[in-house]
Structure formats: structure tokens, C-alpha cells
Amino acid sequence: MTTKTHERADFRGLRRMLDNILRDDDGTRGLFVQAMGNFLTAAGYQDEVLVRSALAEAKTELGDLLVEAVENLAKRSSASQAMIRQVTTKLEGVPIEPDEQFDELGRSLSSVVSTALRALYDFRDGEIATSRKHGVEVPNAAKLDEHIAHWQAVKANLVDPWPWSNVPVPLPPVDREMVARSRAAILAGEPGEDIDALIERLRSE
Amino acid sequence: MHPRSITVLPEVSRRLGELLADKEAVIRVLGELRHHLQNQAAGSRANRDDAQPDFLFTVPIRVLLRGRWRFIRFSVNDTTSPDHFFVEAVSLSD
């Protein structure tokens, strides 16, 4: 990579940070099991009215637990998003010449994004969908969709087009009209600005 | 061998500023272009333009802009003058 040595060190730090995100776990399934335990205990009674009452209570409790689980998932997702922003802030506007070290950063980033998306998809399409089917309301469930949309955008803009060292760059087409105008300017004796002078001029502006 | 001077056509520098909309990014990208042309010219010049291979070669640069990977293509003329590289065009991926 042609970036400076201190920037290489930053990339290693960024990768360690991303790997740490993957080591975290959440206890949402434990909460779900606890709510189901309450429901089964209630169902053990033979009195139909009591069973219905216990079931309604278990559903409410399960809903509360799921709301809390959504909040926990959203909080973890937000924390991971903040980490990703730190990474992209470091990379923003810095020309990259990909190499193996930069590939490793891309792999770590890809793992963070796919792990976050999988956790959100699994919870939304698993616990939340099943609970809704049985009449359990989870008022804040839309937060999962918001976080999924965010991570999908990160995947589309940052991960999928990652500049891997072994993948050819998808270059834009040449602006042929600009070439023609520039060539005419050179031939007319208006060749432009030396690149050193141009960089210095921009720095001083 | 005396290194060629690198000349950026006015429309290219203007367009680059419009495309990147960030002066620091423009300076960094121009610095990277200069690095390519001063230190990797032989490799870069082998990457000839499809339509005008006798005049132009391509220098690709990858850069993250507003959280999205973009690919910049510079078209450089190495034929009109033996002492110059003329940067004649720039384009940016969608």
C-alpha cells in the first residue's frame, strides 16, 4: 500500500477494533427462554380461565422481554456502527493501493457487517415473527428494520465494492470530450498547471 | 533519465474538485497521481487506453468518498511531448 507508515499502523488498530466487536454476545435468547418458561408453568394449571389469564400475562411478559431484546440489539448495532464510522473516517479521502494488509482489514470489516446483519435478520425473522404470529406485540420492532437498512447500505457501499488486491478495478469510462478539449488546449499553447504548483496552490487556498 | 514534468489540464483540475467536493481529498488524490507518474510510470504506461493507445494511458485510483468506495480514472498523454505527462481527463465511478 502506498499510504504512509503511521497510516499502516492505524489500519492494524482498526482491524483489532473490528475483531473485538465479533467477540461480543447477547443474552436475548436467554430472555426468550425465560418468558416461555413462565408460559409453560401457567399452562400446567388445569383451570381454563387461569390458563388463559396466565397465557395473556406470559404474552405481555414476553412482549416486554422482546422489546428489551430489541433495544439491546439496537444498542449493540449502534455501537458497531460507531466503530465502522471510525474506520471510514480514517479511510475517507485517502487514496488506497490495496495489498494483503488492506485485504485483511476488508475481511474483518466484512465479518462485522455480516455478523450484525445475521443477528438482526435472525431475531426479526425468528423470535419477533413467531411471537407476532401468536399475538405478541413488539412495538419497537421497526428499529430492527432501520438497523438492517443501515447495515445493508454499509454492505453495498463499503464491503461489496471493497478494493481487494486481486480484483480488477471497475473503472468508469473515459470522458472523450474532455480529452478532445484538453488536447486542443495543449496544441493552442494552454497546457495547464504543473502538478506540484497545483498541489501547493490548493494547500495555500 | 530526466523525469517528465506532470501537467494537469485546467478542465481536469476543475472537474476533480467538482467530483470530490473536498479540497483535502483533491490534494491527496493529486499526490497519489504524482506518486504513480513519478515512481511507477513504467507500469502505469503499460495500461494503454482502449480508443487512443498511441496517446493515452490510464492511472486508476481508489478512494473512499462519503463512506462509499469510488474509482477515479485519469487519462494521461505521454506522446505529445517527450518531457511531459499531460493529464487530459478524469472520470469517477458512479
Side-chain angles (χ1 to χ4, degrees):
Chain A
M1 211 163 72
T2 58
T3 47
K4 295 183 183 68
T5 306
H6 71 276
E7 287 167 336
R8 285 170 180 264
D10 284 344
F11 291 147
R12 279 195 292 273
L14 293 175
R15 189 184 163 216
R16 277 197 297 276
M17 189 171 71
L18 294 173
D19 289 344
N20 285 338
I21 296 174
L22 296 171
R23 293 198 190 95
D24 289 342
D25 193 9
D26 67 68
T28 52
R29 289 176 191 280
L31 297 173
F32 184 70
V33 169
Q34 181 186 332
M36 290 309 295
N38 290 341
F39 164 68
L40 291 171
T41 300
Y45 292 101
Q46 298 298 311
D47 186 324
E48 189 180 339
V49 174
L50 188 58
V51 167
R52 284 184 180 170
S53 169
L55 178 58
E57 191 179 330
K59 280 184 175 178
T60 302
E61 190 175 346
L62 177 59
D64 289 346
L65 289 171
L66 289 173
V67 164
E68 190 181 333
V70 168
E71 290 300 325
N72 287 339
L73 256 182
K75 197 172 162 186
R76 285 194 57 212
S77 173
S78 294
S80 297
Q81 287 169 19
M83 295 282 196
I84 297 293
R85 274 195 295 277
Q86 284 188 40
V87 174
T88 55
T89 299
K90 293 268 186 189
L91 297 177
E92 184 72 25
V94 180
I96 296 298
E97 189 68 28
D99 60 7
E100 183 53 35
Q101 188 197 326
F102 203 70
D103 286 351
E104 286 176 9
L105 180 65
R107 282 191 284 273
S108 292
L109 196 65
S110 176
S111 291
V112 169
V113 174
S114 61
T115 299
L117 271 172
R118 193 168 56 245
L120 292 161
Y121 284 142
D122 285 353
F123 198 68
R124 182 193 65 180
D125 301 339
E127 284 89 338
I128 296 290
T130 303
S131 301
R132 277 181 166 163
K133 202 187 302 176
H134 294 285
V136 176
E137 289 303 317
V138 186
N140 61 349
K143 278 191 179 179
L144 298 176
D145 292 326
E146 292 168 15
H147 281 266
I148 285 170
H150 175 89
W151 284 110
Q152 285 173 332
V154 171
K155 185 174 184 298
N157 292 325
L158 191 66
V159 174
D160 290 346
W162 189 263
W164 303 107
S165 61
N166 61 348
V167 176
V169 175
L171 285 172
V174 174
D175 185 336
R176 299 289 169 196
E177 293 181 358
M178 192 185 298
V179 168
R181 286 191 295 270
S182 292
R183 191 77 50 82
I186 294 168
L187 296 175
E190 303 162 357
E193 194 167 4
D194 179 81
I195 197 165
D196 295 326
L198 174 58
I199 290 172
E200 283 311 307
R201 180 170 64 78
L202 289 172
R203 280 188 177 136
S204 65
E205 279 178 357
Chain B
M1 201 173 86
H2 187 69
R4 293 183 183 223
S5 62
I6 303 164
T7 301
V8 182
L9 273 293
E11 188 173 346
V12 174
S13 50
R14 269 200 309 274
R15 185 79 182 122
L16 187 63
E18 292 166 4
L19 291 171
L20 303 188
D22 174 0
K23 190 177 81 169
E24 289 306 314
V26 171
I27 291 170
R28 285 173 173 160
V29 166
L30 287 171
E32 183 72 5
L33 174 65
R34 179 173 60 185
H35 169 82
H36 272 269
L37 295 176
Q38 287 179 342
N39 302 307
Q40 304 171 12
S44 296
R45 293 176 71 187
N47 191 12
R48 307 306 298 182
D49 181 82
D50 288 341
Q52 297 188 37
D54 293 340
F55 280 95
L56 296 175
F57 65 96
T58 294
V59 176
I61 290 180
R62 307 148 177 89
V63 66
L64 190 71
L65 295 173
R66 293 172 286 283
R68 183 176 168 208
W69 283 113
R70 307 296 290 275
F71 301 96
I72 302 169
R73 176 183 202 142
F74 286 105
S75 298
V76 184
N77 177 337
D78 60 351
T79 305
T80 298
S81 163
D83 301 320
H84 289 79
F85 286 127
F86 291 109
V87 184
E88 292 189 340
V90 61
S91 45
L92 184 72
S93 63
D94 291 332

